[in-house]
Amino acid sequence: MTKLSVNINKVATIRNARGGNNPDVLSVAQDCEMFGAEGITVHPRPDERHIRYADVRALRPLITTELNIEGNPIDRFTSLVLEVKPTQVTLVPDAEDQITSNHGWDTKGNRALLTDVVGRFREAGIRTSIFVDADPAMVEGAKDCGADRVELYTEPYASGYAACREEAIAPFVAAAEEARALGLGLNAGHDLSLQNLNYFLRRIPWVDEVSIGHALICDALYLGLRQTIAMYRAAARVEAP
């Protein structure tokens, strides 16, 4: 069964818009777990425009499922991960001023950097995933870097889903099959939603985890957080062969 990790960055964005502590990011994370989420994802950026480094430190002792920290392995981020020791770290090649993630790593061109960082995290007992585009060569490169998993960047699938879902999913199936052949775990995330999640997982049922934030929080504005998490878990309920 594919696990649902809820990305709570957007909750922090709302909090930060007014200052203070409303909504309470820590309480929302605990509520997500209580409502059935099997993990919590955070992506602290250098400017701390949503999740702050202090949030990550405060969250760690509260999370009872799995904590996944995403980010570009700049020195400050790497130090935070080694201090907090989450269940999983997902390496994402974000520029400091980037609004949101919009591409995966060139795992071939950045092999030396990624191998060094992955080695440090694995030595600390932290499962390491590398964010990649749906390209078997980049999946192979992640394996060469020593990663435990890859996370497929799914925005191209989501944007192409309405026009032709079979065409949109094809490169992701190829990349996922490469990951499975290499013995890599498989995650997916970015713009997955109630509309496109189930089909993605029916075609690639061996996905270990999906990380969903923006669409889930938007849905929760209308449906409520408890009901929304239940609906995403239902959409993710696909048995692996």
Side-chain angles (χ1 to χ4, degrees):
M1 299 295 291
T2 301
K3 291 183 177 180
L4 171 65
S5 184
V6 176
N7 186 318
I8 59 171
N9 277 18
K10 287 298 184 294
V11 177
T13 300
I14 297 171
R15 177 199 62 187
N16 295 353
R18 288 289 296 270
N21 194 40
N22 188 25
D24 185 328
V25 170
L26 305 185
S27 293
V28 171
Q30 291 177 298
D31 286 342
C32 287
E33 290 187 311
M34 182 172 62
F35 298 155
E38 293 139 316
I40 299 296
T41 292
V42 291
H43 188 148
R45 297 178 186 273
D47 61 7
E48 299 192 332
R49 63 180 180 269
H50 35 63
I51 287 292
R52 300 166 181 155
Y53 278 53
D55 293 328
V56 180
R57 294 185 175 96
L59 278 166
R60 185 66 187 105
L62 301 179
I63 299 303
T64 60
T65 55
E66 294 192 353
L67 178 62
N68 172 45
I69 304 179
E70 300 179 339
N72 195 323
I74 60 174
D75 289 344
R76 186 182 178 207
F77 176 85
T78 300
S79 296
L80 176 71
V81 172
L82 291 172
E83 172 193 342
V84 171
K85 290 185 171 59
T87 311
Q88 176 175 268
V89 58
T90 301
L91 304 180
V92 182
D94 284 340
E96 290 197 14
D97 59 350
Q98 206 163 307
I99 294 176
T100 188
S101 306
N102 61 16
H103 65 282
W105 283 97
D106 175 355
T107 54
K108 304 287 189 178
N110 292 281
R111 180 172 177 176
L113 167 66
L114 292 172
T115 299
D116 175 65
V117 174
V118 168
R120 293 175 66 188
F121 290 151
R122 292 193 71 184
E123 186 176 340
I126 304 166
R127 185 174 71 228
T128 305
S129 177
I130 297 180
F131 194 66
V132 296
D133 296 320
D135 180 345
M138 294 301 102
V139 173
E140 180 186 39
K143 174 69 173 181
D144 292 340
C145 294
D148 300 294
R149 294 185 182 183
V150 290
E151 178 174 330
L152 298 181
Y153 168 55
T154 50
E155 190 279 334
Y157 161 73
S159 63
Y161 179 83
C164 181
R165 66 183 189 176
E166 293 83 5
E167 183 177 321
I169 196 70
F172 291 87
V173 173
E177 288 177 341
E178 178 72 6
R180 183 164 63 169
L182 293 171
L184 286 171
L186 183 64
N187 298 338
H190 210 286
D191 286 353
L192 293 174
S193 68
L194 288 174
Q195 287 69 45
N196 60 43
L197 175 60
N198 187 260
Y199 179 73
F200 187 91
L201 295 178
R202 282 192 283 120
R203 292 297 308 274
I204 313 173
W206 60 94
V207 174
D208 293 296
E209 172 190 293
V210 288
S211 174
I212 304 178
H214 184 80
L216 189 151
I217 299 303
C218 289
D219 289 333
L221 294 175
Y222 294 92
L223 303 171
L225 189 59
R226 183 192 300 269
Q227 176 67 13
T228 299
I229 289 175
M231 292 173 71
Y232 274 88
R233 288 194 69 199
R237 201 168 291 134
V238 177
E239 293 286 351

